[in-house]
Every structure is written in structure tokens, then in C-alpha cells.
């Protein structure tokens, strides 16, 4: 069952509640929906975490935590799934997002080299920014939909299979 598999990787919510950095959320962290693991909370957390992985901002985990609290989905799972876009996968993901956005906007993809300066970033955001941001939005929505429906389908398959196994005994 997916619950047992996912539960192995979930941190203890009592330990998380005692973290000083999370005191800014106050008593909101005591909402049991943020810590329970059922089909609704897991699928919502997958959708949220995968969508936030495509947000090109450095505060993805904080935004994912805030959205998980607002939406009432599993908090640790949604924050952990943001790490799909880690420092190793991020350049590949964001280049793919740029290519998708350029394809949608019918703009030929531009070759570029990276330079760490504000002038370079501001100049590039005016030229490659719109297709990049559109690609991030489209890829994020697709990843969220695949994650949401994939987990719901996997969960349903697992429950049906366990019921069939009980029947055959």
C-alpha cells in the first residue's frame, strides 16, 4: 500500500512541531490534516510539491509549506517533493522549460552562455524571460496533474488489490 511506503520516509510530526524555525506558523501546525496520510492529502501534496519544483525562485520550500498549510495537504510530503528540482536537476529542468515556452510562443530558442552579473540577468530576463516563465508554468501544471492523478490511481490500485487479496483468502 502506498501509505506504508510513504510513511517510512515521513518525519515525526512532534519533532517538527518543536523546531524553532517553524514557530512563525503558530498553532496552524497542529492541524491534523497536515500530518495524516490518506489519498487526498498525499495526492494534493504530490501536486503541490511537483508544481512548486518548477517555480524558478529560491524560496520553493517555504512557498510549498505555506501553500500546504493553506490547502490542508500533507506538509512534509509537499516540502520534500520540491527537491525534485535540486542543484543537479535544476539546469536541465529549467532549460527544458525554456524550450517548451519558446515552442509554445513560436520563438526560436536562443543560444546563451551564463554570466553571473545583474546586467546579464536583467538583459536575459527581457529576452528569454517570457518563454522561460511560460514554460515553467506549463511544465509545473503538467507535473502537478501527473503527480495528482498518478498517486490517486496508484492508491486506488493498491486498495483494490488488497481487497482482492482479502477476498481470495
Amino acid at each position: 500500500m502506498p501509505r506504508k511506503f510513504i510513511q517510512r520516509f515521513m518525519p515525526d510530526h512532534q519533532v517538527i512541531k518543536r523546531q524553532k524555525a517553524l514557530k512563525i506558523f503558530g498553532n496552524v501546525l497542529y492541524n491534523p490534516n497536515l500530518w495524516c496520510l490518506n489519498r487526498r492529502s498525499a495526492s494534493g501534496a504530490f501536486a503541490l510539491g511537483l508544481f512548486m519544483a518548477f517555480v524558478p525562485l529560491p524560496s520553493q520550500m517555504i512557498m510549498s509549506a505555506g501553500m500546504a498549510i493553506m490547502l490542508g495537504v500533507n506538509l512534509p510530503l509537499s516540502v520534500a517533493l520540491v527537491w525534485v528540482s535540486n542543484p543537479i536537476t535544476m539546469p536541465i529542468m529549467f532549460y527544458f522549460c525554456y524550450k517548451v515556452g519558446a515552442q509554445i510562443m513560436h520563438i526560436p530558442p536562443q543560444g546563451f552562455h551564463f554570466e553571473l552579473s545583474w546586467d546579464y540577468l536583467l538583459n536575459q530576463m527581457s529576452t528569454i524571460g517570457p518563454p522561460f516563465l511560460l514554460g515553467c508554468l506549463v511544465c509545473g501544471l503538467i507535473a502537478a496533474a501527473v503527480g495528482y492523478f498518478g498517486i490517486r490511481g496508484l492508491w486506488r490500485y493498491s486498495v483494490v488489490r488488497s481487497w482482492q487479496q482479502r477476498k481470495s483468502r
Side-chain angles (χ1 to χ4, degrees), residues 3 8 13 33 42 63 65-66 74 77 82 127 144 149 161-162:
R3 177 183 295 169
R8 282 189 272 167
H13 67 278
N33 291 331
M63 292 187 305
N74 191 285
L77 196 55
V82 169
T127 57
F149 292 114
R161 193 182 70 193
S162 68

Side-chain angles (χ1 to χ4, degrees), residues 5 7 14 32 35 53 71 75 79 86 94 100 105 108 119 123 130 133 135 138 149 151 159 166 168:
F5 177 75
Q7 199 80 37
Q14 295 299 331
W35 308 104
L71 297 173
L75 177 66
V79 170
N86 57 54
F94 286 162
V100 168
M105 294 178 74
D119 292 333
N123 184 32
L133 294 175
V138 169
F149 292 114
I151 289 298
V159 169
R166 285 183 195 168
S168 65

Side-chain angles (χ1 to χ4, degrees), residues 114-123:
F114 183 73
E115 180 183 317
L116 190 58
S117 70
W118 282 111
D119 292 333
Y120 172 80
L121 290 175
L122 292 175
N123 184 32

Side-chain angles (χ1 to χ4, degrees), residues 91-160:
I92 298 164
M93 287 173 55
F94 286 162
Y95 182 68
F96 178 74
C97 289
Y98 169 69
K99 295 281 268 190
V100 168
Q103 184 73 26
I104 292 171
M105 294 178 74
H106 303 293
I107 297 174
Q110 300 175 359
F112 57 91
H113 67 344
F114 183 73
E115 180 183 317
L116 190 58
S117 70
W118 282 111
D119 292 333
Y120 172 80
L121 290 175
L122 292 175
N123 184 32
Q124 289 298 320
M125 284 313 286
S126 65
T127 57
I128 67 169
F132 171 64
L133 294 175
L134 177 64
C136 285
L137 177 66
V138 169
C139 290
L141 290 173
I142 290 170
V146 168
Y148 180 81
F149 292 114
I151 289 298
R152 294 216 31 127
L154 180 64
W155 204 286
R156 174 129 173 88
Y157 170 76
S158 175
V159 169
V160 167

Side-chain angles (χ1 to χ4, degrees), residues 21-63:
L22 297 177
K23 295 293 184 192
I24 60 171
F25 292 114
N27 291 334
V28 175
L29 290 179
Y30 296 112
N31 181 357
N33 291 331
L34 299 177
W35 308 104
C36 71
L37 193 58
N38 55 39
R39 185 172 48 179
R40 181 196 167 280
S41 69
S43 59
F46 262 78
L48 177 62
L50 291 175
F51 178 78
M52 295 308 286
F54 283 93
V55 172
L57 294 174
S59 57
Q60 295 168 321
M61 289 176 59
I62 295 169
M63 292 187 305

